[in-house]
Amino acid sequence: MNSVRRVDADDPDADIDMGHRMLYQDDLFTGEVAQYQGERIVCLDVYLDGVQNGLSQMWYPDGALKLRGTVVNGAASGEFLEWHPNGVLKSRKFFDDDIYSLKEESVWDEEGNLVREWRREDG
């Protein structure tokens, strides 16, 4: 069974190079990069050969999920969801998989009322 390598973003051996690639001990990093607030994890991103590639997640300091989406070759891809601190969905963004640009977005207030909806008109 393969275990996933995880490093702390604040580890002195972790760095970002001029090409915005994640390095660990001066090598391109493959694995998970975690950020902590105290003992609690608040951000977790997956990297492949130094480039963010995979699930990206963030949590509020109390442990509630704040954001979840997928990054491909360093750009948002597909659906990204974000929640208010009370657990109500805050936004849903959908990124075009071909050009990695925002295709549609819906935003809700803390009570769950839709406050904005936008969709890119193609063509």
Side-chain angles (χ1 to χ4, degrees):
M1 178 174 134
N2 285 340
S3 63
V4 174
R5 185 175 181 194
R6 181 180 289 179
V7 299
D8 187 329
D10 293 328
D11 186 313
D13 287 328
D15 197 12
I16 302 288
D17 71 6
M18 296 296 283
H20 303 284
R21 297 175 302 179
M22 175 59 70
L23 304 175
Y24 187 73
Q25 297 176 337
D26 296 324
D27 290 325
L28 294 175
F29 180 74
T30 295
E32 297 176 337
V33 176
Q35 293 179 345
Y36 296 87
Q37 188 170 56
E39 296 293 316
R40 191 174 297 270
I41 191 167
V42 293
C43 185
L44 185 64
D45 295 309
V46 176
Y47 283 79
L48 177 63
D49 295 327
V51 179
Q52 193 175 353
N53 241 318
L55 188 60
S56 179
Q57 299 178 95
M58 295 178 74
W59 294 267
Y60 287 102
D62 69 357
L65 189 60
K66 181 178 183 176
L67 181 128
R68 181 176 53 220
T70 301
V71 176
V72 176
N73 295 322
S77 180
E79 185 177 67
F80 263 73
L81 298 173
E82 184 176 3
W83 291 267
H84 287 285
N86 67 0
V88 171
L89 188 63
K90 180 178 183 177
S91 71
R92 177 191 175 272
K93 296 179 182 177
F94 191 82
F95 293 87
D96 191 303
D97 291 334
D98 295 328
I99 58 175
Y100 305 121
S101 66
L102 187 60
K103 186 173 182 173
E104 58 187 68
E105 177 182 34
S106 300
V107 178
W108 294 268
D109 65 18
E110 290 184 2
E111 286 78 43
N113 301 304
L114 184 66
V115 295
R116 183 175 69 241
E117 198 163 37
W118 173 87
R119 179 170 282 128
R120 184 180 71 217
E121 298 295 327
D122 290 332

